[in-house]
Amino acid sequence: MTEIAFAFRCVLSSVLIGTTLAAAGEIPMSERRSGYDMMSADTKAMQDDDTANPASLWVLEGETLWSTKTTNNKSCADCHGDTAQSMKGIAARYPAFDTKLNKPIDLGQRINLCRAEHQNATPFAPESRELLALTAFVARQSRGSPIVQDDPKMQPAIAAGRALFEQRLGQLNLSCAQCHDDNWGKQLAGSTIPQAHPTGYPIYRLEWQSLGSLQRRLRNCLFGQRTELYAFDAPEMIALEAFLMWRARGMPMDAPGVRP
Amino acid sequence: MDQSRRELLTGAAAFAGGLLLVSARPADATPASMQAAIRNMLGDVEIGKGKVSLDIAPLVENGNAVPMTVAVESPMTATNYVKAIHVFNEKNPKPNVISIHLGPRAGKASISTRIRLADSQRVVAIAQMNDGSVWSDEVNVIVTLAACVEGL
Amino acid sequence: MAKPLINVPAKAKRGEVIEIKTLISHVMETGFRHSNIGEFLPRDIITQLVCHYNGEEIFRADLFPAIAANPFITFHTVATESGMLTFEWTGDNGFSATGQANIAVVD
């Protein structure tokens, strides 16, 4: 576990402020906003300038890995060529349905499949530096690409993800939707509740002082809900990812993002 | 307060509390230890107000990486330049943040970095000129979301 | 070892003041934390960044634990002549990383 607090000092600020807590329901398409919109000017600037965005360090490492040959003498570049062409818009349509495995997989899993099947190499561990670096490098090619989640074969996963999103969970009996559909924009212990659109992943989270995947971000919210943490790559994780991408369909990708 | 509101408030507070782990921390740097660190670095000099501008947002959303720029008014010529810039804080475990050594070849005495702020506090930037004079600026920063939450 | 990211304009006019931006991977472990299983995490930080321009030192920074993880440092210099800027980061536990950038100076 790496969620170790930065232990200089811990302060508690206000809890949820706001009076209207009626279940607002699904956010209308026209009112959807990326978490980016709710950040301070400083944090936005950190994301916007590639020379300042700490995620660029992982992108750079990913670029190196992309052209590194494995034991079968194959690099990602050997098969996929120029990423700006071959990987454009790819991250914007994951998770996707894998016909060979007959199940939905996310981008990290897709990259690991290529490692295993096409590079004769051991897959990288979830959240490993290498996997995050390659994912960031691939996702970077989708900046500005609209999120697509329209494969009918993904429908069961999206429906399962929606059910999880709306279900009250954990000791606190809170659902994701109560915060992210009904109370977005309000303050929770000093942070603004975003709408939870996965436009920027993997993200450099200031809280983590590191890059991390959407799954890691989801585990943080699950942990907050005092509920069972789904294992990395568990079907529930992929389903939540698929639902969040469907919910954000049409929104432009801004990966790798910076978030507080 | 109706039931669902209370429920959400309690839940939300607990949610925030659960987001992060709390760790033991050592004695903080205090205004006094910051003063001592400044004297250590610069000796017993008179510190004037002015010439230095310390730019940090007065309200930051996460204390783990707070963008900061220090610029010093100076022609940066061979005979009139900034020798060093030091930044100190009041409430992190240690008062020093960064010390920069430059010279006329910098052309412009302006540097940026990202710093950690454990809590809302005063940050002080001090410039040492080649003529021995010392100048400073300070900013009070409010950290809205410190890196962890200490229970209720 | 992760490569640092160095941003120096490839070309500049003689006498022009240019901005240099550097970013490097490092945890900058403060030495004031414990892991979630209670283990003390010893200090592990970068303590210095030095930049030379064609061999002459033009900038030096001493870093303390209050510098954020993955240190980002920007500064300025006068473009005096074509050549190379070299960067060296050093730190705890024998940490050392280097990088360089070329600059073409035109009249």
Side-chain angles (χ1 to χ4, degrees):
Chain A
M1 271 281 281
T2 35
E3 275 92 318
I4 303 159
F6 162 52
F8 272 178
R9 180 117 197 221
C10 305
V11 185
L12 177 80
S13 34
S14 63
V15 289
L16 203 64
I17 302 163
T19 44
T20 50
L21 287 157
E26 227 168 89
I27 302 165
M29 294 283 266
S30 60
E31 284 174 33
R32 291 177 311 167
R33 290 163 63 192
S34 162
Y36 173 90
D37 289 348
M38 293 169 206
M39 306 196 305
S40 73
D42 270 351
T43 315
K44 285 180 180 166
M46 204 185 293
Q47 170 169 325
D48 292 342
D49 177 357
D50 279 340
T51 63
N53 186 339
S56 298
L57 291 164
W58 279 260
V59 173
L60 191 70
E61 263 178 74
E63 192 176 1
T64 307
L65 287 168
W66 180 261
S67 50
T68 305
K69 291 184 190 293
T70 52
T71 45
N72 71 347
N73 204 30
K74 284 267 190 281
S75 71
C76 317
D78 289 337
C79 294
H80 294 291
D82 178 14
T83 35
Q85 302 273 311
S86 68
M87 291 292 137
K88 189 172 166 49
I90 298 296
R93 54 176 186 72
Y94 271 76
F97 196 82
D98 186 89
T99 43
K100 265 185 255 164
L101 296 174
N102 200 33
K103 64 171 191 183
I105 55 171
D106 74 4
L107 185 59
Q109 289 176 302
R110 173 64 256 178
I111 290 170
N112 263 337
L113 275 182
C114 275
R115 288 268 304 165
E117 288 180 2
H118 299 305
Q119 289 192 300
N120 206 3
T122 27
F124 296 120
E127 299 305 296
S128 60
R129 200 168 168 100
E130 292 88 348
L131 187 56
L132 287 170
L134 274 169
T135 314
F137 179 58
V138 170
R140 173 75 182 77
Q141 316 308 321
S142 289
R143 268 217 191 144
S145 300
I147 291 176
V148 180
Q149 196 54 247
D150 60 0
D151 180 355
K153 290 199 283 304
M154 288 299 291
Q155 278 312 316
I158 293 169
R162 179 200 279 272
L164 289 172
F165 193 80
E166 290 171 353
Q167 186 189 345
R168 286 173 170 243
L169 288 171
Q171 285 172 31
L172 303 181
N173 201 30
L174 282 172
S175 73
C176 318
Q178 274 177 292
C179 282
H180 294 298
D181 277 345
D182 302 344
N183 287 291
W184 63 268
K186 298 199 181 110
Q187 295 296 116
L188 176 65
S191 50
T192 308
I193 302 177
Q195 293 181 350
H197 295 303
T199 54
Y201 288 80
I203 55 164
Y204 186 89
R205 195 170 173 215
L206 302 184
E207 191 54 57
W208 297 332
Q209 308 186 61
S210 174
L211 203 74
S213 70
L214 178 56
Q215 293 198 27
R216 181 175 179 192
R217 177 63 259 202
L218 297 183
R219 283 167 64 99
N220 283 187
C221 275
L222 288 163
F223 182 65
Q225 281 170 293
R226 302 279 205 286
T227 186
E228 176 201 355
L229 299 189
Y230 311 124
F232 281 105
D233 297 344
E236 290 88 349
M237 276 293 189
I238 309 298
L240 271 174
E241 288 186 82
F243 170 68
L244 291 174
M245 288 295 268
W246 175 82
R247 190 170 162 267
R249 64 197 177 280
M251 294 176 75
M253 291 283 290
D254 63 351
V258 175
R259 295 289 183 273
Chain B
M1 189 162 28
D2 67 62
Q3 180 56 35
S4 78
R5 166 114 207 264
R6 185 167 314 117
E7 192 179 71
L8 186 53
L9 281 175
T10 338
F15 181 94
L19 273 174
L20 296 145
L21 303 169
V22 179
S23 320
R25 68 191 158 83
D28 290 343
T30 59
S33 71
M34 176 169 82
Q35 288 311 324
I38 292 173
R39 264 197 313 279
N40 250 344
M41 189 73 81
L42 301 157
D44 242 339
V45 292
E46 194 189 317
I47 301 174
K49 287 252 174 274
K51 291 195 196 270
V52 181
S53 70
L54 170 59
D55 185 15
I56 306 184
L59 196 75
V60 302
E61 49 192 3
N62 191 301
N64 282 346
V66 182
M68 170 195 89
T69 297
V70 187
V72 188
E73 253 173 64
S74 163
M76 296 305 275
T77 58
T79 51
N80 187 355
Y81 62 90
V82 180
K83 243 171 55 178
I85 296 171
H86 307 280
V87 180
F88 301 91
N89 77 91
E90 255 177 357
K91 286 193 183 164
N92 288 351
K94 289 272 183 222
N96 298 73
V97 176
I98 195 166
S99 285
I100 308 271
H101 308 273
L102 7 113
R105 288 199 57 177
K108 182 173 165 187
S110 169
I111 63 105
S112 299
T113 186
R114 295 196 276 253
I115 70 172
R116 290 172 163 148
L117 291 176
D119 194 354
S120 298
Q121 57 179 297
R122 192 160 60 112
V123 178
V124 177
I126 298 180
Q128 269 178 304
M129 310 305 219
N130 67 313
D131 66 3
S133 66
V134 177
W135 303 88
S136 78
D137 188 21
E138 59 183 59
V139 171
N140 281 301
V141 185
I142 296 171
V143 180
T144 50
L145 177 66
C148 54
V149 180
E150 221 169 28
L152 281 171
Chain C
M1 171 70 52
K3 270 191 286 184
L5 255 171
I6 296 166
N7 205 268
V8 174
K11 221 170 154 182
K13 282 214 194 80
R14 193 178 308 280
E16 191 186 331
V17 176
I18 56 168
E19 187 181 25
I20 295 166
K21 299 188 195 176
T22 68
L23 189 58
I24 186 164
S25 294
H26 200 287
V27 290
M28 295 296 281
E29 186 57 58
T30 60
F32 300 109
R33 305 200 307 171
H34 289 80
S35 74
N36 57 340
I37 53 162
E39 272 167 18
F40 173 67
L41 300 170
R43 194 185 91 160
D44 181 14
I45 66 165
I46 292 177
T47 49
Q48 196 168 68
L49 164 62
V50 184
C51 175
H52 290 85
Y53 188 157
N54 284 344
E56 192 187 327
E57 180 179 311
I58 54 160
F59 176 89
R60 183 157 46 94
D62 298 322
L63 280 57
F64 295 88
I67 294 298
N70 304 305
F72 173 68
I73 297 179
T74 78
F75 54 96
H76 295 82
T77 197
V78 179
T80 49
E81 54 190 354
S82 297
M84 189 190 284
L85 287 102
T86 56
F87 300 80
E88 190 181 4
W89 291 260
T90 48
D92 294 338
N93 305 313
F95 180 86
S96 164
T98 55
Q100 59 191 55
N102 292 310
I103 183 166
V105 174
V106 294
D107 285 304

